[in-house]
Amino acid sequence: MLYRRELLGEASPLTLRYTSSMEYDKLIACEVLEVMGAYIEELRELKVVPEDAANRILGELENLIAEPSKLFHIKAEDVHEAIEVHLKEKLGSDAGYIGLGRSRNDHVAAALRLKVSRLLLKLLKSIVGFRRTLLSRASASINVLIPLYTHSQPAQISTLAHYFLYIDEMLSDYSSALVKALDITVRSPLGSGPAAGVMAPLDRGRLASKLFGGMLAVNTLYASGGREFSLITLALVSSLLVSLSRVAEDFILFSLPQVGYFKLPAGHLATSSIMPHKVNPVTMEIVRAKAGGVLGKFVSVASIVKGIPSGYNLDLQEANRPVIEALMEAIDTLEVLRDAIENVEVNAGAVEGDIKRYPLLASDIAELIALKTGKPFREAHKELAKLVKEAKNTEELYNRVREAYNINLNPKDAVKRPVNGSPSPENVKSHMEKSLKNIEEFEAELSKYSFLEKSRC
Ligand code: ARG
Protein backbone atom coordinates (compact mmCIF):
# COMPACT_ATOMS: atom_id res chain seq x y z
CA MET A 1 0.00 0.00 0.00
CA LEU A 2 1.86 2.95 -1.38
CA TYR A 3 -0.57 5.80 -1.40
CA ARG A 4 -2.12 5.83 2.07
CA ARG A 5 0.82 4.75 4.23
CA GLU A 6 2.26 8.20 4.99
CA LEU A 7 -1.03 9.74 5.99
CA LEU A 8 -3.12 6.93 7.41
CA GLY A 9 -0.93 3.85 7.88
CA GLU A 10 -1.88 0.43 6.61
CA ALA A 11 -5.52 -0.35 5.88
CA SER A 12 -7.17 -3.21 7.71
CA PRO A 13 -7.57 -6.34 5.60
CA LEU A 14 -11.34 -5.87 5.55
CA THR A 15 -11.14 -2.22 4.44
CA LEU A 16 -8.62 -3.09 1.79
CA ARG A 17 -10.66 -6.00 0.47
CA TYR A 18 -13.85 -3.96 0.59
CA THR A 19 -12.53 -0.88 -1.21
CA SER A 20 -9.95 -2.43 -3.52
CA SER A 21 -10.76 -2.84 -7.21
CA MET A 22 -7.88 -5.26 -7.80
CA GLU A 23 -10.15 -8.20 -8.59
CA TYR A 24 -12.00 -6.53 -11.44
CA ASP A 25 -9.09 -4.37 -12.53
CA LYS A 26 -7.95 -7.60 -14.22
CA LEU A 27 -10.42 -6.66 -16.93
CA ILE A 28 -8.67 -3.37 -17.68
CA ALA A 29 -5.08 -4.04 -16.54
CA CYS A 30 -3.70 -4.09 -20.07
CA GLU A 31 -5.44 -0.85 -21.00
CA VAL A 32 -4.21 0.79 -17.78
CA LEU A 33 -0.66 -0.20 -18.76
CA GLU A 34 -1.08 1.13 -22.30
CA VAL A 35 -2.43 4.41 -20.95
CA MET A 36 0.50 4.63 -18.56
CA GLY A 37 2.89 4.02 -21.46
CA ALA A 38 1.37 6.78 -23.58
CA TYR A 39 1.57 9.16 -20.67
CA ILE A 40 5.23 8.37 -19.90
CA GLU A 41 6.05 8.89 -23.59
CA GLU A 42 4.45 12.31 -23.34
CA LEU A 43 6.49 13.17 -20.23
CA ARG A 44 9.61 12.05 -22.09
CA GLU A 45 8.71 14.18 -25.09
CA LEU A 46 8.21 17.17 -22.80
CA LYS A 47 11.57 16.42 -21.19
CA VAL A 48 10.07 16.71 -17.73
CA VAL A 49 11.32 13.20 -16.98
CA PRO A 50 14.90 12.15 -17.75
CA GLU A 51 14.98 10.16 -20.98
CA ASP A 52 16.73 7.26 -19.34
CA ALA A 53 14.21 6.94 -16.50
CA ALA A 54 11.31 7.20 -18.95
CA ASN A 55 12.82 4.44 -21.10
CA ARG A 56 13.34 2.17 -18.13
CA ILE A 57 9.74 2.70 -17.06
CA LEU A 58 8.49 2.05 -20.58
CA GLY A 59 10.52 -1.15 -20.79
CA GLU A 60 9.04 -2.43 -17.57
CA LEU A 61 5.51 -1.48 -18.69
CA GLU A 62 6.11 -3.61 -21.80
CA ASN A 63 7.06 -6.55 -19.59
CA LEU A 64 3.89 -6.06 -17.61
CA ILE A 65 1.73 -5.92 -20.75
CA ALA A 66 3.18 -9.30 -21.67
CA GLU A 67 2.48 -10.65 -18.20
CA PRO A 68 0.01 -8.51 -16.23
CA SER A 69 -0.62 -11.37 -13.81
CA LYS A 70 2.55 -10.25 -11.97
CA LEU A 71 0.56 -7.31 -10.66
CA PHE A 72 -2.14 -9.31 -9.03
CA HIS A 73 -0.01 -10.77 -6.27
CA ILE A 74 0.49 -7.28 -4.90
CA LYS A 75 -1.79 -6.05 -2.12
CA ALA A 76 -3.03 -2.70 -3.41
CA GLU A 77 -6.03 -0.42 -3.64
CA ASP A 78 -6.08 -0.91 -7.34
CA VAL A 79 -4.04 -1.83 -10.38
CA HIS A 80 -2.69 1.72 -10.66
CA GLU A 81 -1.12 1.45 -7.23
CA ALA A 82 0.08 -2.08 -7.95
CA ILE A 83 1.90 -0.83 -11.05
CA GLU A 84 3.67 1.83 -9.02
CA VAL A 85 4.62 -0.67 -6.33
CA HIS A 86 5.94 -3.05 -8.97
CA LEU A 87 7.92 -0.31 -10.76
CA LYS A 88 9.41 0.86 -7.48
CA GLU A 89 10.55 -2.67 -6.75
CA LYS A 90 12.11 -3.03 -10.19
CA LEU A 91 13.45 0.46 -10.84
CA GLY A 92 13.89 2.07 -7.44
CA SER A 93 13.61 5.85 -7.30
CA ASP A 94 13.18 6.22 -11.09
CA ALA A 95 9.68 4.84 -10.63
CA GLY A 96 8.88 7.99 -8.68
CA TYR A 97 8.65 10.03 -11.88
CA ILE A 98 5.21 8.55 -12.33
CA GLY A 99 2.60 10.78 -10.85
CA LEU A 100 3.47 14.11 -12.41
CA GLY A 101 0.55 15.35 -14.48
CA ARG A 102 -1.55 12.31 -13.75
CA SER A 103 -4.29 11.13 -11.44
CA ARG A 104 -5.84 7.72 -11.12
CA ASN A 105 -9.08 9.50 -11.95
CA ASP A 106 -8.12 10.45 -15.48
CA HIS A 107 -6.16 7.24 -15.97
CA VAL A 108 -8.98 4.89 -15.01
CA ALA A 109 -11.37 6.90 -17.17
CA ALA A 110 -8.93 6.52 -20.07
CA ALA A 111 -8.47 2.78 -19.57
CA LEU A 112 -12.20 2.21 -19.25
CA ARG A 113 -12.98 4.30 -22.34
CA LEU A 114 -10.38 2.34 -24.27
CA LYS A 115 -11.72 -1.02 -23.13
CA VAL A 116 -15.34 -0.06 -23.80
CA SER A 117 -14.41 1.36 -27.21
CA ARG A 118 -12.63 -1.82 -28.23
CA LEU A 119 -15.53 -3.96 -27.09
CA LEU A 120 -18.01 -1.70 -28.86
CA LEU A 121 -16.04 -2.05 -32.07
CA LYS A 122 -16.03 -5.82 -31.64
CA LEU A 123 -19.76 -5.77 -30.97
CA LEU A 124 -20.41 -3.66 -34.05
CA LYS A 125 -18.39 -6.09 -36.16
CA SER A 126 -20.37 -8.99 -34.70
CA ILE A 127 -23.54 -7.19 -35.71
CA VAL A 128 -22.20 -6.85 -39.25
CA GLY A 129 -21.44 -10.60 -39.32
CA PHE A 130 -24.90 -11.33 -37.94
CA ARG A 131 -26.50 -9.21 -40.65
CA ARG A 132 -24.56 -11.01 -43.36
CA THR A 133 -25.80 -14.35 -42.02
CA LEU A 134 -29.36 -13.00 -42.02
CA LEU A 135 -29.06 -11.82 -45.59
CA SER A 136 -27.63 -15.07 -46.83
CA ARG A 137 -30.39 -17.08 -45.14
CA ALA A 138 -32.97 -14.60 -46.39
CA SER A 139 -31.85 -14.92 -50.00
CA ALA A 140 -32.35 -18.68 -49.78
CA SER A 141 -35.81 -18.37 -48.24
CA ILE A 142 -37.61 -15.77 -50.33
CA ASN A 143 -40.30 -18.30 -51.17
CA VAL A 144 -40.39 -20.23 -47.91
CA LEU A 145 -43.78 -19.51 -46.39
CA ILE A 146 -44.29 -19.20 -42.64
CA PRO A 147 -47.16 -17.96 -40.50
CA LEU A 148 -46.57 -14.76 -38.54
CA TYR A 149 -48.16 -14.30 -35.15
CA THR A 150 -49.65 -11.39 -33.27
CA HIS A 151 -50.86 -11.79 -29.69
CA SER A 152 -49.23 -15.25 -29.95
CA GLN A 153 -52.11 -16.24 -32.28
CA PRO A 154 -51.66 -17.17 -35.96
CA ALA A 155 -52.04 -13.90 -37.88
CA GLN A 156 -50.87 -13.62 -41.49
CA ILE A 157 -48.91 -15.59 -44.01
CA SER A 158 -45.39 -14.37 -44.65
CA THR A 159 -42.01 -15.71 -45.70
CA LEU A 160 -38.95 -16.75 -43.76
CA ALA A 161 -36.92 -14.17 -45.69
CA HIS A 162 -39.26 -11.44 -44.51
CA TYR A 163 -38.84 -12.63 -40.93
CA PHE A 164 -35.03 -12.58 -41.20
CA LEU A 165 -35.12 -9.12 -42.75
CA TYR A 166 -37.03 -7.79 -39.77
CA ILE A 167 -34.08 -8.75 -37.59
CA ASP A 168 -31.72 -7.20 -40.14
CA GLU A 169 -33.49 -3.84 -40.07
CA MET A 170 -33.52 -3.89 -36.30
CA LEU A 171 -29.78 -4.54 -36.25
CA SER A 172 -29.20 -1.78 -38.76
CA ASP A 173 -30.90 0.63 -36.35
CA TYR A 174 -28.80 -0.61 -33.44
CA SER A 175 -25.66 -0.26 -35.54
CA SER A 176 -26.35 3.41 -36.21
CA ALA A 177 -27.00 4.05 -32.53
CA LEU A 178 -24.06 2.01 -31.24
CA VAL A 179 -21.56 3.63 -33.58
CA LYS A 180 -22.62 6.92 -32.03
CA ALA A 181 -21.94 5.43 -28.60
CA LEU A 182 -18.50 4.44 -29.88
CA ASP A 183 -17.90 7.96 -31.14
CA ILE A 184 -18.81 9.33 -27.70
CA THR A 185 -16.65 6.80 -25.87
CA VAL A 186 -13.45 6.90 -27.86
CA ARG A 187 -12.28 10.26 -26.51
CA SER A 188 -9.20 10.79 -24.40
CA PRO A 189 -9.58 12.11 -20.86
CA LEU A 190 -5.79 12.08 -20.37
CA GLY A 191 -4.43 15.26 -18.89
CA SER A 192 -7.63 16.07 -17.06
CA GLY A 193 -6.00 15.05 -13.78
CA PRO A 194 -8.10 14.58 -10.66
CA ALA A 195 -10.80 17.11 -11.67
CA ALA A 196 -9.54 20.42 -12.97
CA GLY A 197 -6.46 19.56 -15.03
CA VAL A 198 -2.75 19.42 -14.25
CA MET A 199 0.18 21.82 -14.15
CA ALA A 200 2.46 19.64 -16.28
CA PRO A 201 2.21 21.14 -19.77
CA LEU A 202 0.86 17.96 -21.36
CA ASP A 203 -0.20 18.23 -24.98
CA ARG A 204 -3.62 16.64 -24.62
CA GLY A 205 -4.11 16.38 -28.38
CA ARG A 206 -0.82 14.56 -28.83
CA LEU A 207 -1.70 12.23 -25.96
CA ALA A 208 -5.12 11.61 -27.49
CA SER A 209 -3.57 10.72 -30.82
CA LYS A 210 -1.61 7.88 -29.21
CA LEU A 211 -4.61 5.77 -28.17
CA PHE A 212 -7.82 7.58 -29.07
CA GLY A 213 -7.33 8.56 -32.70
CA GLY A 214 -6.83 12.16 -31.59
CA MET A 215 -10.31 12.57 -30.11
CA LEU A 216 -10.75 14.34 -26.82
CA ALA A 217 -13.15 14.48 -23.89
CA VAL A 218 -12.49 18.17 -23.38
CA ASN A 219 -13.70 19.54 -20.06
CA THR A 220 -11.45 18.12 -17.36
CA LEU A 221 -14.23 17.68 -14.77
CA TYR A 222 -16.36 15.82 -17.29
CA ALA A 223 -13.42 13.83 -18.64
CA SER A 224 -12.25 12.61 -15.23
CA GLY A 225 -15.58 12.20 -13.44
CA GLY A 226 -18.17 11.56 -16.16
CA ARG A 227 -19.46 8.11 -17.05
CA GLU A 228 -21.99 9.09 -19.70
CA PHE A 229 -20.18 6.89 -22.20
CA SER A 230 -20.92 3.89 -19.97
CA LEU A 231 -24.54 4.86 -19.42
CA ILE A 232 -25.22 5.46 -23.10
CA THR A 233 -23.44 2.25 -24.10
CA LEU A 234 -25.32 0.21 -21.53
CA ALA A 235 -28.69 1.72 -22.44
CA LEU A 236 -28.10 0.67 -26.03
CA VAL A 237 -26.55 -2.72 -25.35
CA SER A 238 -29.30 -3.69 -22.94
CA SER A 239 -31.93 -2.56 -25.46
CA LEU A 240 -30.19 -4.60 -28.15
CA LEU A 241 -30.32 -7.72 -26.01
CA VAL A 242 -33.93 -7.07 -25.06
CA SER A 243 -34.76 -6.97 -28.76
CA LEU A 244 -32.75 -10.10 -29.48
CA SER A 245 -34.41 -11.93 -26.60
CA ARG A 246 -37.62 -11.76 -28.62
CA VAL A 247 -35.90 -13.56 -31.47
CA ALA A 248 -34.65 -16.20 -29.02
CA GLU A 249 -38.20 -16.54 -27.77
CA ASP A 250 -39.43 -17.00 -31.37
CA PHE A 251 -36.92 -19.80 -31.79
CA ILE A 252 -38.10 -21.43 -28.58
CA LEU A 253 -41.75 -21.18 -29.62
CA PHE A 254 -41.13 -22.24 -33.21
CA SER A 255 -39.26 -25.31 -31.99
CA LEU A 256 -41.92 -26.40 -29.50
CA PRO A 257 -42.87 -29.98 -30.41
CA GLN A 258 -46.45 -28.76 -30.81
CA VAL A 259 -45.33 -26.17 -33.38
CA GLY A 260 -42.22 -27.68 -34.92
CA TYR A 261 -41.44 -25.09 -37.59
CA PHE A 262 -37.81 -24.89 -36.54
CA LYS A 263 -35.30 -27.57 -35.69
CA LEU A 264 -32.45 -26.07 -33.72
CA PRO A 265 -28.99 -27.49 -34.42
CA ALA A 266 -27.84 -30.08 -31.87
CA GLY A 267 -25.19 -27.75 -30.50
CA HIS A 268 -27.94 -25.50 -29.20
CA LEU A 269 -29.79 -28.25 -27.38
CA ALA A 270 -29.27 -30.11 -24.13
CA THR A 271 -30.85 -33.21 -22.70
CA SER A 272 -32.55 -33.76 -19.38
CA SER A 273 -30.82 -35.70 -16.63
CA ILE A 274 -34.03 -37.55 -15.85
CA MET A 275 -36.50 -37.23 -18.75
CA PRO A 276 -35.09 -39.32 -21.57
CA HIS A 277 -37.30 -37.73 -24.21
CA LYS A 278 -36.25 -34.14 -23.66
CA VAL A 279 -34.19 -31.84 -25.88
CA ASN A 280 -34.12 -28.40 -24.42
CA PRO A 281 -33.36 -25.19 -26.36
CA VAL A 282 -30.74 -24.13 -23.81
CA THR A 283 -28.80 -21.53 -25.78
CA MET A 284 -31.98 -19.63 -26.56
CA GLU A 285 -32.99 -19.76 -22.91
CA ILE A 286 -29.65 -18.25 -21.93
CA VAL A 287 -30.01 -15.53 -24.59
CA ARG A 288 -33.35 -14.66 -22.99
CA ALA A 289 -31.75 -14.61 -19.54
CA LYS A 290 -28.68 -12.61 -20.61
CA ALA A 291 -30.99 -9.86 -21.81
CA GLY A 292 -32.34 -9.64 -18.27
CA GLY A 293 -28.86 -9.80 -16.74
CA VAL A 294 -27.47 -7.08 -18.99
CA LEU A 295 -30.47 -4.88 -18.36
CA GLY A 296 -29.65 -5.36 -14.67
CA LYS A 297 -26.11 -4.13 -15.32
CA PHE A 298 -27.49 -0.99 -16.92
CA VAL A 299 -29.72 -0.41 -13.91
CA SER A 300 -26.75 -1.14 -11.66
CA VAL A 301 -24.48 1.47 -13.32
CA ALA A 302 -27.28 4.03 -13.56
CA SER A 303 -28.04 3.53 -9.85
CA ILE A 304 -24.36 3.88 -8.92
CA VAL A 305 -23.96 7.09 -10.91
CA LYS A 306 -27.31 8.53 -9.92
CA GLY A 307 -27.02 11.35 -7.40
CA ILE A 308 -23.27 11.23 -6.80
CA PRO A 309 -21.82 14.73 -6.93
CA SER A 310 -20.01 15.80 -10.09
CA GLY A 311 -16.36 14.80 -10.27
CA TYR A 312 -14.76 11.47 -9.46
CA ASN A 313 -16.14 9.51 -6.50
CA LEU A 314 -15.01 6.00 -5.58
CA ASP A 315 -18.58 4.84 -6.25
CA LEU A 316 -17.58 4.92 -9.91
CA GLN A 317 -15.15 2.09 -9.32
CA GLU A 318 -18.14 -0.23 -8.90
CA ALA A 319 -19.45 0.88 -12.29
CA ASN A 320 -16.41 -0.38 -14.23
CA ARG A 321 -17.12 -4.08 -14.23
CA PRO A 322 -20.80 -4.11 -15.28
CA VAL A 323 -20.26 -2.19 -18.50
CA ILE A 324 -17.37 -4.42 -19.57
CA GLU A 325 -19.21 -7.61 -18.70
CA ALA A 326 -22.37 -6.43 -20.44
CA LEU A 327 -20.43 -5.88 -23.65
CA MET A 328 -18.66 -9.24 -23.42
CA GLU A 329 -21.97 -10.99 -22.85
CA ALA A 330 -23.57 -9.13 -25.73
CA ILE A 331 -20.77 -10.21 -28.09
CA ASP A 332 -21.19 -13.86 -27.05
CA THR A 333 -24.97 -13.59 -27.34
CA LEU A 334 -24.73 -12.29 -30.88
CA GLU A 335 -22.46 -15.15 -31.90
CA VAL A 336 -24.72 -17.77 -30.32
CA LEU A 337 -27.83 -16.38 -31.96
CA ARG A 338 -26.08 -15.89 -35.28
CA ASP A 339 -25.03 -19.51 -35.26
CA ALA A 340 -28.60 -20.61 -34.47
CA ILE A 341 -29.90 -18.56 -37.39
CA GLU A 342 -27.23 -19.87 -39.73
CA ASN A 343 -27.99 -23.49 -38.93
CA VAL A 344 -31.65 -23.67 -38.02
CA GLU A 345 -33.62 -26.10 -40.17
CA VAL A 346 -37.15 -25.44 -41.26
CA ASN A 347 -39.65 -28.27 -41.08
CA ALA A 348 -41.73 -27.67 -44.19
CA GLY A 349 -44.33 -30.26 -43.17
CA ALA A 350 -45.10 -28.55 -39.87
CA VAL A 351 -45.29 -25.15 -41.56
CA GLU A 352 -47.59 -26.39 -44.34
CA GLY A 353 -49.78 -28.10 -41.77
CA ASP A 354 -50.36 -24.82 -39.95
CA ILE A 355 -50.89 -22.88 -43.17
CA LYS A 356 -53.72 -25.32 -43.93
CA ARG A 357 -55.00 -25.35 -40.35
CA TYR A 358 -55.30 -21.61 -39.69
CA PRO A 359 -57.11 -19.04 -41.86
CA LEU A 360 -54.00 -16.94 -42.35
CA LEU A 361 -55.40 -15.36 -45.53
CA ALA A 362 -58.50 -13.98 -43.83
CA SER A 363 -57.37 -10.36 -43.57
CA ASP A 364 -56.13 -10.38 -47.17
CA ILE A 365 -59.44 -11.76 -48.38
CA ALA A 366 -61.45 -9.23 -46.38
CA GLU A 367 -59.41 -6.45 -47.95
CA LEU A 368 -59.79 -7.90 -51.43
CA ILE A 369 -63.56 -8.11 -50.98
CA ALA A 370 -63.67 -4.45 -49.98
CA LEU A 371 -61.41 -3.45 -52.85
CA LYS A 372 -63.32 -5.51 -55.38
CA THR A 373 -66.86 -4.64 -54.35
CA GLY A 374 -66.35 -1.09 -53.11
CA LYS A 375 -68.08 -2.05 -49.87
CA PRO A 376 -66.91 -0.44 -46.63
CA PHE A 377 -64.17 -2.61 -45.16
CA ARG A 378 -66.15 -3.08 -41.95
CA GLU A 379 -68.86 -4.89 -43.93
CA ALA A 380 -66.40 -7.11 -45.73
CA HIS A 381 -64.74 -7.91 -42.39
CA LYS A 382 -68.09 -8.85 -40.88
CA GLU A 383 -69.01 -11.09 -43.79
CA LEU A 384 -65.73 -12.88 -43.68
CA ALA A 385 -65.84 -13.29 -39.90
CA LYS A 386 -69.19 -15.03 -40.38
CA LEU A 387 -67.72 -17.40 -42.96
CA VAL A 388 -64.72 -18.13 -40.72
CA LYS A 389 -67.10 -19.02 -37.92
CA GLU A 390 -69.25 -21.27 -40.08
CA ALA A 391 -66.54 -23.08 -42.07
CA LYS A 392 -65.32 -26.39 -40.64
CA ASN A 393 -61.82 -25.79 -41.93
CA THR A 394 -59.79 -23.46 -44.12
CA GLU A 395 -60.46 -25.53 -47.22
CA GLU A 396 -64.18 -24.96 -46.81
CA LEU A 397 -63.59 -21.31 -45.96
CA TYR A 398 -61.54 -20.65 -49.10
CA ASN A 399 -64.07 -22.60 -51.25
CA ARG A 400 -66.92 -20.49 -49.98
CA VAL A 401 -64.92 -17.31 -50.59
CA ARG A 402 -64.34 -18.47 -54.15
CA GLU A 403 -68.03 -19.18 -54.67
CA ALA A 404 -69.32 -16.01 -53.02
CA TYR A 405 -66.78 -13.46 -54.27
CA ASN A 406 -64.88 -15.16 -57.05
CA ILE A 407 -61.69 -14.57 -55.09
CA ASN A 408 -59.20 -17.35 -55.42
CA LEU A 409 -56.28 -16.51 -53.19
CA ASN A 410 -53.49 -18.90 -52.26
CA PRO A 411 -50.74 -18.42 -49.67
CA LYS A 412 -48.03 -17.92 -52.28
CA ASP A 413 -49.94 -15.05 -53.90
CA ALA A 414 -51.07 -13.63 -50.59
CA VAL A 415 -47.53 -12.71 -49.59
CA LYS A 416 -47.28 -10.48 -52.67
CA ARG A 417 -48.87 -7.63 -50.77
CA PRO A 418 -48.09 -4.47 -52.70
CA VAL A 419 -46.92 -2.27 -49.81
CA ASN A 420 -43.26 -1.51 -49.31
CA GLY A 421 -41.68 -3.74 -46.68
CA SER A 422 -44.10 -6.61 -47.22
CA PRO A 423 -42.92 -10.18 -47.80
CA SER A 424 -43.50 -9.99 -51.55
CA PRO A 425 -40.42 -11.46 -53.25
CA GLU A 426 -39.91 -8.16 -55.15
CA ASN A 427 -39.85 -6.21 -51.91
CA VAL A 428 -37.64 -8.69 -50.18
CA LYS A 429 -35.11 -8.61 -53.00
CA SER A 430 -34.92 -4.84 -53.01
CA HIS A 431 -34.62 -4.76 -49.20
CA MET A 432 -31.78 -7.23 -49.44
CA GLU A 433 -29.95 -5.16 -52.03
CA LYS A 434 -30.29 -1.98 -49.97
CA SER A 435 -29.25 -3.81 -46.87
CA LEU A 436 -26.12 -5.20 -48.45
CA LYS A 437 -25.17 -1.70 -49.56
CA ASN A 438 -25.90 -0.38 -46.10
CA ILE A 439 -23.63 -3.04 -44.55
CA GLU A 440 -20.79 -2.17 -46.91
CA GLU A 441 -21.09 1.54 -46.15
CA PHE A 442 -21.21 0.78 -42.47
CA GLU A 443 -18.05 -1.33 -42.67
CA ALA A 444 -16.30 1.58 -44.36
CA GLU A 445 -17.45 3.82 -41.51
CA LEU A 446 -16.09 1.35 -38.95
CA SER A 447 -12.68 1.30 -40.60
CA LYS A 448 -12.25 4.80 -39.15
CA TYR A 449 -11.84 3.08 -35.78
CA SER A 450 -9.40 0.37 -36.83
CA PHE A 451 -6.67 2.07 -34.75
CA LEU A 452 -8.44 0.55 -31.74
CA GLU A 453 -7.40 -2.89 -32.92
CA LYS A 454 -3.70 -2.02 -32.98
CA SER A 455 -3.16 -3.06 -29.43
CA ARG A 456 -1.06 -5.59 -27.59
CA CYS A 457 -3.93 -6.27 -25.21
N1 ARG B 1 -9.69 2.11 -8.70
C1 ARG B 1 -10.29 3.32 -9.08
C2 ARG B 1 -11.39 3.05 -10.11
O1 ARG B 1 -11.42 2.00 -10.65
C3 ARG B 1 -9.27 4.24 -9.68
C4 ARG B 1 -9.45 5.68 -9.33
C5 ARG B 1 -9.31 5.87 -7.87
N2 ARG B 1 -9.17 7.25 -7.54
C6 ARG B 1 -9.02 7.61 -6.31
N3 ARG B 1 -8.84 8.86 -6.11
N4 ARG B 1 -9.06 6.78 -5.30
O2 ARG B 1 -12.23 3.88 -10.36
Side-chain angles (χ1 to χ4, degrees), residues 3 19-22 24-25 28 32 77-81 103-109 112 194 227 312-320:
Y3 297 144
T19 57
S20 169
S21 57
M22 279 301 268
Y24 34 95
D25 281 349
I28 51 168
V32 169
E77 290 176 19
D78 53 30
V79 67
H80 313 269
E81 186 177 42
S103 153
R104 279 182 287 173
N105 299 354
D106 67 339
H107 273 227
V108 74
L112 188 61
R227 288 296 181 272
Y312 184 85
N313 295 264
L314 198 59
D315 311 47
L316 293 179
Q317 177 173 285
E318 296 291 311
N320 294 349

Side-chain angles (χ1 to χ4, degrees), residues 134 138 141 144 146-149 158-170 243-252 254 262 337 341 344 421-423 428:
L134 285 165
S141 49
V144 178
I146 55 156
L148 291 187
Y149 287 69
S158 184
T159 66
L160 193 58
H162 181 248
Y163 173 77
F164 287 141
L165 290 181
Y166 128 71
I167 307 169
D168 175 63
E169 187 169 338
M170 175 215 339
S243 297
L244 291 178
S245 75
R246 299 182 67 183
V247 176
E249 178 66 6
D250 290 343
F251 273 57
I252 290 171
F254 282 2
F262 284 0
L337 201 52
I341 287 174
V344 69
S422 82
V428 163

Side-chain angles (χ1 to χ4, degrees), residues 7-27:
L7 213 55
L8 294 169
E10 300 271 308
S12 78
L14 173 65
T15 308
L16 183 64
R17 180 167 56 78
Y18 193 65
T19 57
S20 169
S21 57
M22 279 301 268
E23 196 42 44
Y24 34 95
D25 281 349
K26 287 176 186 158
L27 293 168

Side-chain angles (χ1 to χ4, degrees), residues 232-260:
I232 291 165
T233 297
L234 275 167
L236 288 173
V237 171
S238 54
S239 304
L240 167 68
L241 290 205
V242 164
S243 297
L244 291 178
S245 75
R246 299 182 67 183
V247 176
E249 178 66 6
D250 290 343
F251 273 57
I252 290 171
L253 292 174
F254 282 2
S255 57
L256 286 177
Q258 307 92 304
V259 179

Side-chain angles (χ1 to χ4, degrees), residues 138-328:
S139 74
S141 49
I142 294 175
N143 296 310
V144 178
L145 299 174
I146 55 156
L148 291 187
Y149 287 69
T150 63
H151 310 268
S152 304
Q153 304 288 317
Q156 284 188 289
I157 189 74
S158 184
T159 66
L160 193 58
H162 181 248
Y163 173 77
F164 287 141
L165 290 181
Y166 128 71
I167 307 169
D168 175 63
E169 187 169 338
M170 175 215 339
L171 290 179
S172 159
D173 285 349
Y174 276 113
S175 301
S176 328
L178 281 161
V179 79
K180 189 68 200 162
L182 174 56
D183 173 62
I184 288 167
T185 304
V186 64
R187 294 184 192 178
S188 171
L190 290 173
S192 62
V198 292
M199 275 296 182
L202 305 177
D203 181 336
R204 293 196 63 201
R206 188 164 57 195
L207 259 176
S209 67
K210 292 202 166 100
L211 294 169
F212 291 89
M215 289 166 285
L216 211 60
V218 183
N219 180 284
T220 61
L221 183 61
Y222 181 58
S224 58
R227 288 296 181 272
E228 282 60 27
F229 65 94
S230 289
L231 289 170
I232 291 165
T233 297
L234 275 167
L236 288 173
V237 171
S238 54
S239 304
L240 167 68
L241 290 205
V242 164
S243 297
L244 291 178
S245 75
R246 299 182 67 183
V247 176
E249 178 66 6
D250 290 343
F251 273 57
I252 290 171
L253 292 174
F254 282 2
S255 57
L256 286 177
Q258 307 92 304
V259 179
Y261 302 166
F262 284 0
K263 187 170 177 295
L264 277 166
H268 288 258
L269 303 171
T271 52
S272 157
S273 63
I274 181 166
M275 293 171 281
H277 63 290
K278 293 271 289 205
V279 279
N280 300 326
V282 286
T283 54
M284 297 300 104
E285 291 174 297
I286 298 297
V287 168
R288 232 170 24 183
K290 289 285 183 204
V294 168
L295 188 56
K297 292 184 199 307
F298 170 51
V299 173
S300 164
V301 170
S303 312
I304 289 165
V305 175
K306 182 194 165 296
I308 61 172
S310 302
Y312 184 85
N313 295 264
L314 198 59
D315 311 47
L316 293 179
Q317 177 173 285
E318 296 291 311
N320 294 349
R321 178 160 52 174
V323 63
I324 295 170
E325 286 179 349
L327 281 159
M328 295 195 307

Side-chain angles (χ1 to χ4, degrees), residues 125-145:
K125 290 193 163 183
S126 306
I127 294 179
V128 167
F130 198 126
R131 292 185 65 195
R132 287 198 185 279
T133 298
L134 285 165
L135 289 185
S136 93
R137 284 238 51 181
S139 74
S141 49
I142 294 175
N143 296 310
V144 178
L145 299 174

